[in-house]
Amino acid sequence: MLTVLWLFAVIVGFFALAYINAAGWAWTVAIGAALAAAWAIHAIPLLAMLILAVAAILLAIPLNVPVLRRKLISDAILSVFRKVLPPMSQTERDAIEAGTVWWDGELFSGRPDWSKLLAMPGPKLTPEEQRFLDRECEELCAMVSDWETTQVYRDLPAHAWQYIKDKGFLGMIIPKRYGGLGFSAYAHSQVITKLSTHSGTVAVTVMVPNSLGPGELLLHYGTDEQKNHYLPRLAKGIDIPCFALTNPHAGSDAAAIPDTGIVCMGEYQGKQTLGLKISWEKRYITLGPVATLLGLAFRAYDPEHLLGDEQELGITCALIPTSHPGVNIGRRHMPLNAVFQNGPNWGKDVFIPIEWVIGGKAQVGNGWRMLMESLAAGRGISLPSSSTGMSKLAVRATGGYARIRRQFKTPIGKFEGVEEALTRMGGNLYMMDATRALTALAVDLGERPAVLSGIAKYHLTERGRQIITDAMDVAGGKGICMGPSNFLGAAYMQMPVSITVEGANILTRSLIIFGQGAIRCHPYVLREIEATRETDIERASAGFDQALFGHIGFVLSNMARSFIMGLCGSHCVSVPRDVAPETRRYYQQLTRFSAALAFLSDISMGSLGGALKRKEKLSARLGDILSLLYLCSATLKRYELEGRQSADAPLMHWAIWDAMFKAQNAIEGVLANFPNRMIAALLRTLVFPLGRPYVVPSDSLGQSVARLLIESSASRDRLTAGMHISTSEDNPVGAIELAMAAAIAAEPIEEKIRDAVKDARFYVTSGEDPAAAARAAGVITAEEMAVLARARRLSDLVIRVDDFPPDLGASEIRPTDAVRSHKAAA
């Protein structure tokens, strides 16, 4: 019996020391105490105890003395690592090292410090930024309608283009000293979000020059001469920029672009000049058809060694006026009936001076790093903001429509099947807007969150797609009949565009999020890799030793923490005292899942090695866990920043519960498909010792979320804050807003009529209007009759769909000079 107790104590001691990631000396003392206890209870013979004690001492000395540990253990392992570690190309290295690690590092640590997240300030707008949103953005939205933009002008109208240029929309990220607006990342995000609630074409037109493109690249890498010349012109719309990266044969694999630039001497302005002769073919280039300044990525070569000893210099970025001889601007693409300017361009042996390279001669070959570092920030703003804006439009308009539209004498929003779709829409939007704001905050705090921007791009565009699809299911025939009164069709058609750009979503999920995150966010992996590349033997040995044994302790700690937190249902996890009581359990469960992610990641990398890169489904699921932890973090942060609004709590609870259930399923997906089944069985025992804790969110919680979308309330307003909402009946969203308010005002009167009929206070004959009969019987007043009449009229206006002549109105669409005049102005 004593032996069993001793064995139990040893196991408990092991997990306790591993849980706290105890130092080596603590392990040494614990092993000594365990051996002494075993001898005292006669669990092992004296001779065996002495042999074990000597072995423990011989092992403990080198493990606790770094110099000996390095010579006897670490250096040998380092030598093996150098032989087996696959070579890393410069483009891979640039992609991995781009940007910074922020809250994602905490989530990968297995023990996130929630007090850091809670202490972060909330994103704020300056008075100038708020005025711009309230005035210029609203005025721009009022200038365009999606229907006219897509069906009449096939572009923004000329006066809208001019307004965009005059008011500085194209220079939001450009500092004021260059004539730009100098907005924060959060203000930039707010502008794109608002524009996206009204017109995708307007949003994309404004978004692209402020995202990855000439402006961003010039700001960080341009020469002073380039900045002083181009930035003021870009800020005022004198130059319209585009950036050409995608080649027909290199899309997602952008680093493999075959476009070339040969360093050579050539003639420019009558003089022999050092430059590049470039040949390229690009497509999908937004603003390309109207651009005056072409940002171009190509692979530079120096066969004559005019710049140095290297012949293959790498990807390079240059700025070329589209009026330059040899630049060919093609016709337009039409991406899913969206009419933002987009098209191909190409050139053959086009000579440019070396000074046209962004950053000048010194930056030849550094283009890929430029792009990766710029993408680390820009990708977290543009598409997350546009997807959130479209989703706000869908949620507010569909919620209102579900209150107005009746079937079986009941608003369709009160049917459980429709409630299910509305629930997903509301919960997803709450989490999306929280993630958008937190990611923008990171950029404003000086971070360039490469992994988190990929997470935001992928998950917000995917959730946006789900919201739009759910909205279309609710809208039904109203959603599929195109015309001026359709509030959803354009968003439904254009939403897939965001899935394909700035890293196609399949690629982002299966290769980038975890592939980059596992190395960048892990506290030891990158340090181990860097040690294998270090040429200084002493520094490599010391660095690798620290990283290796830190890594071993990290693995053991997260293994123990996963198991113990699983046994206690995470109730044993300490969290900051000042969190909202209703969210306390979420912090505990997220901490448990963080430890599980770190443990599963290390076991996956350790057992699969380089093969993990080819196990894309496994990598994607590990990335899902990290992503969902970030989305939940953002949601909790939002709930705190907004003052723990109890009315909004159903949105928060549903969003986190749904995300945690999906994170749990992702863990299950890793375990069920882990190649080594013995390891998988052990992992399952350690991660889920008492089974899986989460189930789907309850129907009652979902109903509470759905009801928020069909009620006029402060919660609905907070959920869709920042929208452009028209007050005109001629605007489809404005008509829904007016009709919803009228419907809510009419409901008590309708109930009054129904009660009077039940009480036999009057009778309604077949075909007779109940409201007219009630008015004649004195049941309702003339004012109440007017309320009912207004509600009916607006309801009819909302549920009406557009129709056209047999040629679908082609004969009614007249040629316009809008596009031509814009191009002439450009």
Side-chain angles (χ1 to χ4, degrees):
M1 183 62 183
L2 289 175
T3 301
V4 172
L5 290 174
W6 175 83
L7 184 60
F8 178 76
V10 168
I11 294 173
V12 170
F14 170 81
F15 276 98
L17 290 170
Y19 188 95
I20 63 173
N21 199 3
W25 64 264
W27 284 95
T28 303
V29 171
I31 292 171
L35 291 173
W39 175 73
I41 66 173
H42 306 293
I44 55 177
L46 177 60
L47 180 60
M49 192 275 290
L50 291 174
I51 293 173
L52 289 173
V54 171
I57 292 171
L58 292 176
L59 186 62
I61 291 174
L63 287 177
N64 285 280
V65 179
V67 175
L68 291 176
R69 186 176 67 205
R70 285 161 50 189
K71 292 185 179 299
L72 296 175
I73 303 172
S74 302
D75 287 353
I77 298 176
L78 174 59
S79 178
V80 173
F81 264 48
R82 281 177 163 155
K83 293 176 181 177
V84 302
L85 199 67
M88 184 183 295
S89 69
Q90 187 60 46
T91 53
E92 288 178 312
R93 190 178 187 87
D94 288 343
I96 288 173
E97 295 178 353
T100 59
V101 176
W102 188 54
W103 182 246
D104 41 341
E106 291 289 330
L107 295 175
F108 223 103
S109 71
R111 51 179 80 223
D113 185 350
W114 297 107
S115 60
K116 289 183 180 179
L117 178 70
L118 296 171
M120 292 175 193
K124 294 187 182 298
L125 298 170
T126 66
E128 179 186 3
E129 292 168 343
Q130 187 63 59
R131 280 195 303 272
F132 190 86
L133 281 163
D134 294 339
R135 187 172 59 194
E136 279 82 357
C137 287
E138 290 290 336
E139 289 179 1
L140 177 57
C141 287
M143 290 181 179
V144 300
S145 78
D146 242 0
W147 180 251
E148 288 185 349
T149 298
T150 56
Q151 301 300 319
V152 179
Y153 299 106
R154 297 299 177 101
D155 187 9
L156 292 178
H159 63 279
W161 264 108
Q162 195 60 50
Y163 188 85
I164 286 170
K165 296 175 184 178
D166 293 343
K167 297 301 181 180
F169 279 92
L170 302 182
M172 289 191 293
I173 66 170
I174 296 176
K176 291 183 178 181
R177 65 181 180 274
Y178 295 111
L181 297 179
F183 280 179
S184 64
Y186 181 61
H188 173 195
S189 176
Q190 289 288 89
V191 169
I192 301 304
T193 300
K194 171 165 279 193
L195 297 180
S196 298
T197 66
H198 182 66
S199 169
T201 299
V202 172
V204 171
T205 301
V206 171
M207 177 178 78
V208 169
N210 291 287
S211 184
L212 177 61
E216 175 82 5
L217 295 172
L218 281 169
L219 278 172
H220 296 290
Y221 310 104
T223 64
D224 288 340
E225 183 180 0
Q226 289 171 339
K227 292 177 183 178
N228 292 330
H229 175 74
Y230 280 118
L231 289 178
R233 296 175 62 83
L234 291 171
K236 297 302 181 185
I238 298 171
D239 273 322
I240 302 296
C242 71
F243 190 81
L245 174 62
T246 302
N247 179 280
H249 304 289
S252 296
D253 187 13
I257 52 174
D259 311 291
T260 60
I262 308 300
V263 179
C264 62
M265 298 298 293
E267 185 173 328
Y268 178 68
Q269 293 182 342
K271 298 179 181 179
Q272 282 294 302
T273 304
L274 178 65
L276 296 119
K277 186 178 291 184
I278 309 174
S279 296
W280 76 93
E281 183 183 5
K282 303 291 187 179
R283 65 179 181 183
Y284 310 147
I285 310 306
T286 299
L287 297 187
V290 297
T292 62
L293 183 64
L294 172 66
L296 184 66
F298 56 91
R299 193 173 294 277
Y301 297 89
D302 187 11
E304 298 179 32
H305 302 288
L306 297 176
L307 298 181
D309 296 333
E310 296 291 328
Q311 181 168 323
E312 294 188 18
L313 303 180
I315 292 175
T316 301
C317 298
L319 294 178
I320 307 173
T322 56
S323 59
H324 187 63
V327 175
N328 294 285
I329 300 298
R331 301 190 300 175
R332 291 174 63 181
H333 300 312
M334 191 173 183
L336 291 176
N337 207 39
V339 294
F340 57 84
Q341 295 284 339
N342 185 279
N345 60 74
W346 65 93
K348 177 69 173 174
D349 294 335
V350 177
F351 181 79
I352 66 167
I354 200 77
E355 290 79 15
W356 287 10
V357 171
I358 296 176
K361 182 167 62 175
Q363 292 294 348
V364 173
N366 292 330
W368 187 246
R369 177 175 285 275
M370 292 181 187
L371 294 174
M372 291 298 98
E373 290 178 348
S374 298
L375 193 64
R379 184 168 55 184
I381 303 295
S382 54
L383 292 170
S385 302
S386 62
S387 296
T388 301
M390 282 189 178
S391 297
K392 289 190 177 192
L393 163 67
V395 166
R396 190 171 186 101
T398 305
Y401 182 78
R403 183 62 178 265
I404 298 159
R405 179 63 165 158
R406 289 173 175 262
Q407 293 289 278
F408 309 104
K409 300 181 180 179
T410 304
I412 63 172
K414 295 184 179 180
F415 288 98
E416 287 197 357
V418 174
E419 278 184 348
E420 194 171 21
L422 293 175
T423 297
R424 286 193 298 268
M425 294 171 67
N428 280 333
L429 177 57
Y430 188 86
M431 181 168 272
M432 288 172 64
D433 211 12
T435 305
R436 174 191 68 86
L438 185 62
T439 308
L441 172 65
V443 177
D444 281 331
L445 292 175
E447 302 290 340
R448 302 183 74 78
V451 176
L452 295 183
S453 66
I455 290 172
K457 189 271 175 181
Y458 171 77
H459 283 274
L460 269 60
T461 55
E462 285 294 338
R463 286 170 183 259
R465 175 156 63 174
Q466 177 68 65
I467 285 175
I468 300 296
T469 300
D470 281 331
M472 185 62 78
D473 286 349
V474 175
K478 173 70 176 179
I480 66 172
C481 290
M482 294 301 291
S485 65
N486 188 313
F487 63 89
L488 191 60
Y492 183 78
M493 284 192 289
Q494 295 168 23
M495 190 66 206
V497 174
S498 64
I499 304 298
T500 67
V501 296
E502 292 190 3
N505 275 14
I506 290 177
L507 169 76
T508 300
R509 176 174 178 261
S510 60
L511 291 177
I512 294 178
I513 292 176
F514 183 76
Q516 191 175 26
I519 297 176
R520 284 296 277 137
C521 303
H522 197 288
Y524 299 106
V525 168
L526 188 58
R527 289 164 57 185
E528 290 167 336
I529 293 174
E530 288 174 342
T532 67
R533 308 281 190 257
E534 176 60 59
T535 56
D536 186 290
I537 296 175
E538 186 64 24
R539 285 167 57 185
S541 175
F544 186 78
D545 176 75
Q546 290 180 354
L548 175 65
F549 281 89
H551 196 161
I552 292 171
F554 183 73
V555 174
L556 291 175
S557 178
N558 283 310
M559 177 197 69
R561 288 169 58 77
S562 296
F563 182 65
I564 293 171
M565 286 188 282
L567 287 177
C568 72
S570 74
H571 287 280
C572 56
V573 178
S574 62
V575 297
R577 294 182 179 180
D578 55 347
V579 302
E582 62 270 27
T583 63
R584 182 178 181 80
R585 289 290 294 135
Y586 297 138
Y587 290 96
Q588 292 177 322
Q589 291 281 30
L590 287 168
T591 300
R592 174 188 174 182
F593 278 25
S594 171
L597 167 66
F599 179 52
L600 290 173
S601 298
D602 274 315
I603 298 302
S604 298
M605 289 187 288
S607 63
L608 297 175
L612 180 58
K613 186 176 181 180
R614 298 185 294 276
K615 293 288 185 182
E616 295 177 22
K617 296 174 186 175
L618 208 64
S619 177
R621 294 182 183 110
L622 290 167
D624 287 344
I625 303 168
L626 175 62
S627 299
L628 292 164
L629 292 178
Y630 178 58
L631 268 61
C632 286
S633 301
T635 302
L636 290 170
K637 178 66 174 176
R638 173 181 182 171
Y639 188 69
E640 291 290 339
L641 287 175
E642 293 184 349
R644 306 177 183 178
Q645 299 288 337
S646 59
D648 300 354
L651 294 161
M652 178 271 296
H653 285 303
W654 190 93
I656 293 183
W657 198 272
D658 176 70
M660 291 299 288
F661 178 70
K662 289 175 178 174
Q664 175 182 270
N665 285 348
I667 294 174
E668 175 61 33
V670 172
L671 299 176
N673 294 279
F674 204 84
N676 188 311
R677 299 314 301 154
M678 290 183 63
I679 294 178
L682 178 61
L683 291 175
R684 184 182 297 280
T685 300
L686 292 169
V687 173
F688 290 137
L690 301 179
R692 290 174 285 176
Y694 273 93
V695 295
V696 295
S698 68
D699 288 345
S700 60
L701 176 60
Q703 185 179 70
S704 298
V705 171
R707 291 297 167 90
L708 291 176
L709 271 60
I710 64 173
E711 300 286 348
S712 180
S713 66
S715 291
R716 182 170 178 260
D717 291 339
R718 281 190 292 270
L719 184 62
T720 58
M723 276 189 67
H724 167 74
I725 302 176
S726 173
T727 57
S728 170
E729 293 181 14
D730 296 330
N731 179 283
V733 177
I736 289 174
E737 289 291 301
L738 295 171
M740 180 178 173
I744 292 173
E747 284 176 359
I749 304 171
E750 292 169 339
E751 182 67 25
K752 184 177 179 180
I753 293 173
R754 285 193 294 270
D755 290 342
V757 171
K758 289 179 183 178
D759 296 339
R761 293 173 57 190
F762 74 98
Y763 297 95
V764 180
T765 60
S766 178
E768 185 178 11
D769 180 10
R775 175 71 188 105
V779 172
I780 61 174
T781 65
E783 290 77 12
E784 290 173 322
M785 182 69 176
V787 170
L788 291 175
R790 173 176 168 78
R792 289 178 180 177
R793 182 181 66 80
L794 289 171
S795 175
D796 288 344
L797 177 65
V798 166
I799 66 175
R800 185 186 68 198
V801 297
D802 300 291
D803 54 55
F804 301 93
D807 64 356
L808 293 178
S811 60
E812 298 176 5
I813 299 176
R814 296 285 184 266
T816 176
D817 292 330
V819 178
R820 289 194 296 273
S821 63
H822 155 63
K823 290 181 177 177

